[in-house]
Amino acid sequence: RAIVLFLNERKWIEAESEFKLALEIDPGCRMALTYYGYFLTRLGRSDEAHQMLERARTLDPSSPLITKFLGHCEFGRRRFEKALGLYARASKLAPAYPGGHYWAGRAYIAMTNYPRALDQFEQWEITQGLAPSLAKQRYDGFREILSNGGERDYWLKRLEIAKANTSSSPYAYAEIYARLGDKGQALDWLETAFAKHDSMDCLLADEFWDDFRQEPRFVALLEAAGLTKVMLARRE
């Protein structure tokens, strides 16, 4: 119930009550500890998340998922190097697990190390089933764009690919425009994402919104998504 309230209904306060109830009933419930920890990373409460996830890791030390979520604690603190180490450990724990590679790529992007990010995203696609030869071809193309035109041209190519894919989500467009520095388009697409209940759990965690946090439209979206109440409750 807590997970449904969190991810499907965006009822953050109610979800937290259910997580706490689950742990009151069974303090050693690995699933409750793991996903309550993840929930807290999404709300920017990294210290509390770390405590929950360390309890979960005690119960399942070989879990790549828990290790990845611990990486999210460091990502939320914007300590990307530390996050990177945990994402790499998740991939070592389970070489076929794609999540570690994806988030390592995200950490490298945040650190503006695009060549290493592309290496990780290439591995991510391979672990999801893309043939290594096709992955190499795709990412060599990105490497060439990056080499010749820089980061902006890379994101323009990502935008072109998104437009060619009819299943691209509004949040994906919002991210690309945010990374291109087009605040108007980014916020337009973010409002569409809100209307479609798309990825609102990412608003406090994703680093590419950090330059938007004082924008009136972004602040209004946080309030509409119920996240302002969560932040106020945290301060209290």
Side-chain angles (χ1 to χ4, degrees), residues 103-161:
W103 278 97
R106 282 284 305 271
Y108 277 125
I109 289 284
M111 294 161 65
T112 67
N113 188 339
Y114 279 71
R116 294 297 298 274
L118 292 178
D119 292 344
Q120 290 297 320
F121 289 143
E122 183 176 349
Q123 287 303 310
W124 168 57
E125 295 220 40
I126 290 169
T127 55
Q128 291 188 108
L130 185 65
S133 58
L134 291 177
K136 184 177 187 307
Q137 182 180 355
R138 177 179 298 177
Y139 281 88
D140 280 351
F142 286 136
R143 291 180 185 101
E144 185 176 356
I145 290 166
L146 191 62
S147 177
N148 293 334
E151 295 171 15
R152 181 171 179 79
D153 279 7
Y154 169 76
W155 288 111
L156 287 170
K157 182 63 177 178
R158 286 289 190 184
L159 180 59
E160 179 187 321
I161 292 168

Side-chain angles (χ1 to χ4, degrees), residues 202-214:
C202 300
L203 285 181
L204 296 177
D206 281 341
E207 86 291 353
F208 49 83
W209 297 123
D210 286 354
D211 290 337
F212 288 70
R213 301 203 182 278
Q214 303 306 315

Side-chain angles (χ1 to χ4, degrees), residues 41 46-47 50 68-84 86-87:
T41 69
S46 293
D47 291 345
H50 190 269
K68 182 186 76 173
F69 287 168
L70 281 163
H72 290 354
C73 295
E74 300 303 332
F75 196 103
R77 293 165 172 149
R78 304 301 183 245
R79 299 199 301 216
F80 301 116
E81 295 252 11
K82 288 191 173 183
L84 189 60
L86 287 156
Y87 297 144

Side-chain angles (χ1 to χ4, degrees), residues 64 67-68 85-104 120 123 127:
T67 303
K68 182 186 76 173
L86 287 156
Y87 297 144
R89 188 185 303 170
S91 295
K92 271 190 178 180
L93 286 168
Y97 180 65
H101 291 297
Y102 172 78
W103 278 97
Q120 290 297 320
Q123 287 303 310
T127 55

